[in-house]
Amino acid sequence: MKYRELIEKMTLEEKASLMSGKDFWQTQEIERLGINSMFLADGPHGIRKQAVAADHLGLNVGIPATCFPTAATVANSWNDELGERVGEYLGEEAISQKVNVLLGPGVNMKRNPLCGRNFQYFSEDPYLAGKMAAGYIRGIQSQGISACVKHFCVNNQEERRMAIDTIVDERTLREIYLTAFEIAIKEGRTKTIMSSYNKLNGTYTNENIHLMKDILRGEWNYKGCVITDWGGSNDRISGLIAGNELEMPTTAGETNEEIIQAIKGGKIKEEVLDQCVDRLLELIFTTEEVYKRPHIEFDVDKHHRVAQKVAEESIVLLKNDENILPLKYGKKVAVIGEFAKNARYQGAGSSIVNPTILDHTMDCFNESGIVSIGYEPGFERYGKKNKKKIEKACELARKADVILLYIGLDEVTEADGLDRQSMSIPENQIDLLNALYTVNSNIIAILSCGSAVEMPWINKAKAVLHGYLGGQAGSRAILRILSGDVNPSGKLAETYPIRYEDTPSFYNFPGKEVSVEYREGIYIGYRYYDTADVNVLFPFGYGLSYTTFEYSDIHVSRYGATFKLKNSGSVAGMEIAQLYIGCKSKEIFRPKKELKGFTKIFINAGETKTVSIPFDDKTFRYFNVKTNKWEVEESEYEIMIGASSADIRLKDTIFIEGTGAPLPYDKETLPSYYLGKTNNVSIDEFERLIGRKVPVSKWDKSKPLGYNDTIAQCQYAKGIFARFSYYMIVFAYWFLRKIGKRSTANIIMMSIYHMPFRGVARVTGGVINMPMLDGILMMVNGQFFKGLVHLLKERSKKLNMEKNK
């Protein structure tokens, strides 16, 4: 241990105190030994350090910080160097606000397009997500502080995220859900990881020995710290044994005492605690070095310009019929859509950033060169229908050559803690589009949202430009694309299905009660659509440009692929070339193609460049469940270079020698997986894949409710008090939505409805402790008066203890 001498000077109580927070965002300090507290802050796309009382829901305004485009947006740039630059600026701003640990980036896979937090995640592909995350981490940590990769792992739904049990086979876990974390750790060298709320195959992730010790500490040789998500600790001792250093937020000393008693009682050895303390001290001491230097404020204008550059490179042109874009000089433009005036530029929940500057479309027209003849909102932001607004918009549209129609999803639809209800954009926006089409068919739709949406209306738009959530400078960036000042170069980091029912996880998302089964296995995103031959609206890796590119002369060696790329159009531009591999053997089921490399190249008009994309240790590997390790199958492999997963321009083959591992599967017993048609796998076949029976996915309504049951389950409680409380919560949610208070209604779902009872103690910072919670559970389970007496008695005991301190 690096800090053995210092640790030997600590009392058991002091060591235990370091294992949980001092308050909502700070860690404990030990002044007599010169150990200072750290500050942790949300920051996937901008620093959220709250100016007043801290919370985790984004209720209180943060100190102004640059709001960069979200991860889902920047992933469309396919530029890990750009991600590293974003990280550097995030790190600078973190230092200006005296933050030690920045809680991001998030690298969970986009298993399903309805996950409410997809705007915070990079991609459906682990290789792309891992490379982008590694760039962010290098940038953040180059400033001397720590990044914190999250949420480790298989946290792919928001509903019941604190209690859901994710059932997934080992190969899928390794190849799809852990690879991005592996790249983030090995290439980004992140100093901290945040464990997720959920269970993995029956055990909470931060207590999961296989995940935390065998894989993270063992195989990946991770030396950094593991931090719980806020309120995400279940059994503190089990978490400590698994190597979870820091529980956040504070529990007012309750779990520290559990650690002390566990050591005194011989349940765990003190050496286990010492090792956790040692790793935490390394994080504290290395991230406070930067604060010994003179304090420097960041350059607000410079950071705003960088945010604009990032947005420009991340915007995706999805459709451009008749080359309506870029806009021709002198065209009269009608600007329609609520999002034009009040930009939709970031997600909601724990990542809300208070921007230093905020560009709105209507304020940026003068410098764009685009001639606007006026603006109409056209629709109510939160879905309410309004015929008068549509009529006014149509009046304006009649006078214009072209309509710029700003549509998308609102802030309360995409939020931390809630999943989306559908893939549609609000009906009132579609009504507007249909009405406008009858008076002027030159419609350019500008989308603002953080995830995939259905587009049954797309034939009524001549162009579709997807800005995603472009941060505080996103509106200006979009105008620069529309005007032609910038040539679009973004490509989709996720597939857009034609309809939600086409998605591979359609029948198994979200888990509504005890568990969620990942029956689709390794076939998520394009891996499924390409293998099962399902048509999509826009494929993974797709994006248009104002120029064209020609691919030629592929040469494949054991080191990688080399080819020529020519800008065959009339304007300079950037192209994202993608390398996919496909195994020709049919002995082990595999996707038709998998992304194994990419590069983004700037090429002047008429210029040709030679491009190389190297192979690496992940190019040909697969995880063998019989040998329990990564293997290479001996086979011919097709090497594909494409402009998207569906637009392969060059092909070649190479023979790769294998590692000689035994075949992991009986082909006859897994027909769906060998065909790749896994959107509706039977439970029997899924059990053959995972090699065991799956747990019952429904609640046992006959059992009393316990710590890990949720408030939502009070609808089945024995206690009248609990059932009444449940219906009051449901009514409050309905009523608040009815009167237009949708953000407040969402908070009820996020912070109450899906909260496990243990979370009440873990998130309240010690206001309610576990003995008090026992009293609440007695009341819930039908022993109202006994529970009330117990609750009051324990509260009195707690208050007396606090007085005597």
Side-chain angles (χ1 to χ4, degrees):
M1 291 192 302
K2 187 173 181 180
Y3 300 99
R4 186 181 298 278
E5 287 186 18
L6 182 58
I7 292 169
E8 285 173 353
K9 295 175 183 176
M10 294 182 197
T11 64
L12 176 58
E13 289 73 17
E14 285 174 329
K15 286 188 279 191
S17 75
L18 292 175
M19 296 293 98
S20 65
K22 170 184 175 181
D23 54 28
F24 213 87
W25 296 110
Q26 295 183 90
T27 63
Q28 285 284 0
E29 71 273 326
I30 304 175
E31 288 184 21
R32 73 178 187 88
L33 296 175
I35 300 169
N36 299 320
S37 68
M38 294 185 296
F39 197 99
L40 301 88
D42 279 315
H45 60 272
I47 317 302
R48 188 179 76 98
K49 185 175 181 182
Q50 288 158 299
V52 292
D55 71 2
H56 193 50
L57 299 172
L59 301 181
N60 296 321
V61 176
I63 297 167
T66 307
C67 181
F68 290 94
T70 66
T73 312
V74 184
N76 294 330
S77 75
W78 292 62
N79 188 339
D80 53 350
E81 291 180 3
L82 190 68
E84 187 165 343
R85 192 175 175 196
V86 172
E88 288 172 6
Y89 286 94
L90 286 170
E92 272 187 34
E93 295 195 24
I95 290 168
S96 76
Q97 295 191 24
K98 297 192 174 177
V99 169
N100 299 73
V101 179
L102 202 54
L103 303 175
V107 297
N108 295 95
M109 291 297 96
K110 296 184 179 185
R111 173 181 179 246
N112 186 283
L114 298 188
C115 174
R117 215 167 184 175
N118 276 350
F119 66 87
Q120 273 193 24
Y121 301 140
F122 290 109
S123 180
E124 67 188 31
D125 183 83
Y127 190 86
L128 176 57
K131 291 291 185 178
M132 292 301 297
Y136 268 68
I137 295 160
R138 286 192 296 268
I140 291 167
Q141 296 189 167
S142 70
Q143 303 303 304
I145 64 162
S146 173
C148 180
V149 176
K150 59 184 187 180
H151 307 86
F152 192 61
C153 62
V154 289
N155 176 195
N156 306 106
Q157 68 178 65
E158 291 298 284
E159 185 170 329
R160 291 185 51 76
R161 66 184 182 186
M162 293 184 77
I164 202 74
D165 185 6
T166 300
I167 311 301
V168 60
D169 69 283
E170 186 72 12
R171 181 181 171 198
T172 298
L173 175 68
R174 300 298 195 110
E175 292 187 16
I176 303 298
Y177 297 101
L178 289 184
T179 292
F181 286 101
E182 180 185 358
I183 295 169
I185 287 163
K186 291 181 177 178
E187 297 182 21
R189 299 186 180 277
T190 185
K191 293 180 179 181
T192 60
I193 291 174
M194 183 188 290
S195 57
S196 56
Y197 286 124
N198 54 283
K199 292 179 182 177
L200 167 61
N201 293 325
T203 306
Y204 282 99
T205 57
N206 78 310
E207 302 168 10
N208 195 305
I209 297 295
H210 177 55
L211 182 66
M212 292 292 175
K213 282 202 163 180
D214 299 344
I215 299 173
L216 179 64
R217 303 285 186 192
E219 293 178 27
W220 299 350
N221 196 32
Y222 178 64
K223 303 295 186 186
C225 284
V226 177
I227 302 170
T228 68
D229 204 340
W230 266 236
S233 177
N234 171 52
D235 183 315
R236 188 64 189 102
I237 305 309
S238 297
L240 196 71
I241 291 168
N244 172 205
E245 282 76 24
L246 182 59
E247 175 188 16
M248 290 299 290
T250 182
T251 60
E254 184 176 15
T255 54
N256 302 343
E257 188 60 30
E258 289 177 16
I259 293 170
I260 293 165
Q261 294 308 317
I263 290 171
K264 286 181 176 178
K267 190 174 180 181
I268 56 171
K269 294 181 179 178
E270 195 165 348
E271 288 80 4
V272 173
L273 175 59
D274 289 349
Q275 287 172 353
C276 289
V277 171
D278 190 63
R279 290 192 288 260
L280 189 66
L281 289 176
E282 174 70 2
L283 180 64
I284 293 168
F285 292 144
T286 57
T287 60
E288 68 181 8
E289 281 297 311
V290 69
Y291 297 112
K292 295 175 182 176
R293 306 174 206 156
H295 177 75
I296 300 173
E297 291 293 335
F298 68 93
D299 186 329
V300 170
D301 290 329
K302 180 182 177 184
H303 284 215
H304 183 72
R305 290 193 299 273
V306 171
Q308 179 182 316
K309 167 72 172 89
V310 174
E312 288 170 0
E313 201 169 318
S314 305
I315 292 166
V316 186
L317 180 60
L318 295 175
K319 182 179 179 181
N320 193 20
D321 287 358
E322 301 173 18
N323 289 322
I324 194 171
L325 289 177
L327 289 168
K328 308 301 184 287
Y329 179 76
K331 289 284 185 185
K332 293 183 294 183
V333 168
V335 182
I336 297 172
E338 162 68 18
F339 296 144
K341 188 174 183 183
N342 298 300
R344 173 79 211 287
Y345 61 97
Q346 66 173 327
S350 64
S351 66
I352 290 176
V353 178
N354 181 16
T356 53
I357 301 168
L358 182 56
D359 291 340
H360 290 291
T361 302
M362 301 312 299
D363 301 328
C364 301
F365 265 103
N366 289 341
E367 66 190 64
S368 71
I370 299 171
V371 180
S372 167
I373 63 166
Y375 161 77
E376 285 293 340
F379 62 85
E380 299 274 0
R381 192 177 189 91
Y382 297 111
K384 188 177 177 182
K385 296 205 173 187
N386 189 322
K387 283 187 179 180
K388 285 187 178 178
K389 287 195 173 183
I390 291 178
E391 288 168 2
K392 283 188 174 181
C394 287
E395 277 179 40
L396 180 65
R398 286 187 181 94
K399 304 171 189 173
D401 297 319
V402 176
I403 300 166
L404 297 183
L405 178 60
Y406 284 76
I407 55 177
L409 300 177
D410 59 64
E411 294 82 355
V412 294
T413 299
E414 294 182 290
D416 175 354
L418 291 169
D419 294 316
R420 290 161 59 199
Q421 298 303 303
S422 79
M423 276 188 70
S424 304
I425 64 171
E427 192 176 350
N428 66 334
Q429 296 181 35
I430 306 303
D431 291 344
L432 171 64
L433 172 61
N434 290 334
L436 291 172
Y437 184 74
T438 64
V439 300
N440 189 334
S441 63
N442 290 323
I443 298 172
I444 298 167
I446 295 126
L447 275 173
S448 297
C449 52
S451 47
V453 293
E454 292 173 341
M455 301 185 200
W457 42 264
I458 195 167
N459 63 322
K460 292 182 178 175
K462 283 191 176 174
V464 178
L465 190 70
H466 203 333
Y468 268 72
L469 299 178
Q472 65 182 51
S475 295
R476 181 176 271 108
I478 285 170
L479 285 174
R480 282 173 56 79
I481 298 279
L482 293 171
S483 68
D485 288 342
V486 173
N487 188 353
S489 64
K491 294 195 176 189
L492 294 175
E494 59 188 315
T495 308
Y496 276 55
I498 294 171
R499 56 190 193 127
Y500 178 56
E501 290 81 359
D502 294 336
T503 59
S505 55
F506 171 72
Y507 292 102
N508 294 283
F509 180 93
K512 287 285 186 181
E513 296 189 9
V514 174
S515 61
V516 57
E517 295 160 9
Y518 285 28
R519 295 195 195 181
E520 70 280 358
I522 59 174
Y523 297 100
I524 74 164
Y526 72 90
R527 285 170 166 78
Y528 167 71
Y529 299 113
D530 286 358
T531 309
D533 201 22
V534 175
N535 290 330
V536 299
L537 182 63
F538 296 114
F540 175 78
Y542 172 87
L544 300 175
S545 171
Y546 293 152
T547 190
T548 54
F549 297 95
E550 292 178 0
Y551 293 68
S552 63
D553 298 342
I554 186 172
H555 174 72
V556 174
S557 72
R558 62 193 182 97
Y559 301 109
T562 302
F563 54 95
K564 288 183 179 176
L565 189 56
K566 180 182 179 180
N567 183 338
S568 53
S570 57
V571 292
M574 287 186 279
E575 173 67 336
I576 299 161
Q578 303 153 41
L579 183 150
Y580 297 88
I581 68 118
C583 181
K584 293 200 168 188
S585 166
K586 302 300 178 189
E587 294 303 311
I588 301 167
F589 66 81
R590 300 175 81 145
K592 187 175 181 179
K593 63 174 75 78
E594 297 179 86
L595 182 75
K596 297 295 180 178
F598 59 89
T599 188
K600 191 167 191 176
I601 308 285
F602 175 84
I603 310 179
N604 285 311
E607 185 183 10
T608 299
K609 286 188 176 180
T610 299
V611 180
S612 293
I613 302 179
F615 298 150
D616 62 20
D617 62 329
K618 295 168 187 66
T619 304
F620 301 104
R621 74 178 191 176
Y622 75 97
F623 193 83
N624 188 302
V625 293
K626 271 194 178 174
T627 62
N628 196 37
K629 63 180 183 178
W630 294 100
E631 305 282 4
V632 174
E633 184 180 8
E634 185 169 295
S635 177
E636 287 261 325
Y637 287 82
E638 191 165 49
I639 308 302
M640 295 165 269
I641 303 295
S644 79
S645 65
D647 184 11
I648 301 302
R649 304 288 184 89
L650 302 171
K651 292 182 181 179
D652 201 352
T653 58
I654 187 172
F655 178 80
I656 299 294
E657 291 184 4
T659 50
L663 294 176
Y665 306 113
D666 177 358
K667 190 185 295 189
E668 302 301 316
T669 65
L670 301 170
S672 300
Y673 295 98
Y674 275 87
L675 290 171
K677 296 183 177 181
T678 58
N679 65 320
N680 197 11
V681 174
S682 70
I683 191 166
D684 290 339
E685 188 174 352
F686 182 57
E687 287 179 341
R688 289 194 293 272
L689 176 71
I690 65 175
R692 64 183 184 278
K693 287 284 184 185
V694 300
V696 176
S697 63
K698 300 293 183 185
W699 290 318
D700 184 347
K701 296 169 190 173
S702 66
K703 285 186 176 179
L705 298 184
Y707 293 141
N708 292 319
D709 294 310
T710 63
I711 309 298
Q713 289 169 255
C714 284
Q715 61 189 295
Y716 307 118
K718 290 181 180 178
I720 295 172
F721 154 78
R723 293 200 301 275
F724 176 76
S725 298
Y726 166 79
Y727 287 112
M728 286 300 295
I729 291 166
V730 171
F731 173 77
Y733 175 71
W734 171 84
F735 181 73
L736 287 165
R737 284 183 66 89
K738 194 76 175 171
I739 63 172
K741 302 284 187 182
R742 293 179 64 189
S743 294
T744 310
N746 283 353
I747 288 164
I748 288 175
M749 299 304 284
M750 285 188 281
S751 60
I752 301 174
Y753 191 81
H754 293 304
M755 175 80 74
F757 282 98
R758 66 176 164 80
V760 175
R762 297 298 189 229
V763 176
T764 54
V767 174
I768 296 173
N769 61 19
M770 293 301 279
M772 290 166 68
L773 185 61
D774 289 335
I776 294 171
L777 282 169
M778 286 179 200
M779 296 162 72
V780 165
N781 289 312
Q783 297 176 298
F784 182 83
F785 293 107
K786 184 180 178 182
L788 182 61
V789 170
H790 184 91
L791 172 64
L792 294 174
K793 181 182 173 185
E794 291 298 335
R795 182 175 180 274
S796 178
K797 190 188 295 185
K798 178 178 176 294
L799 292 173
N800 287 333
M801 286 177 65
E802 288 171 356
K803 277 182 187 176
N804 295 329
K805 275 186 180 178

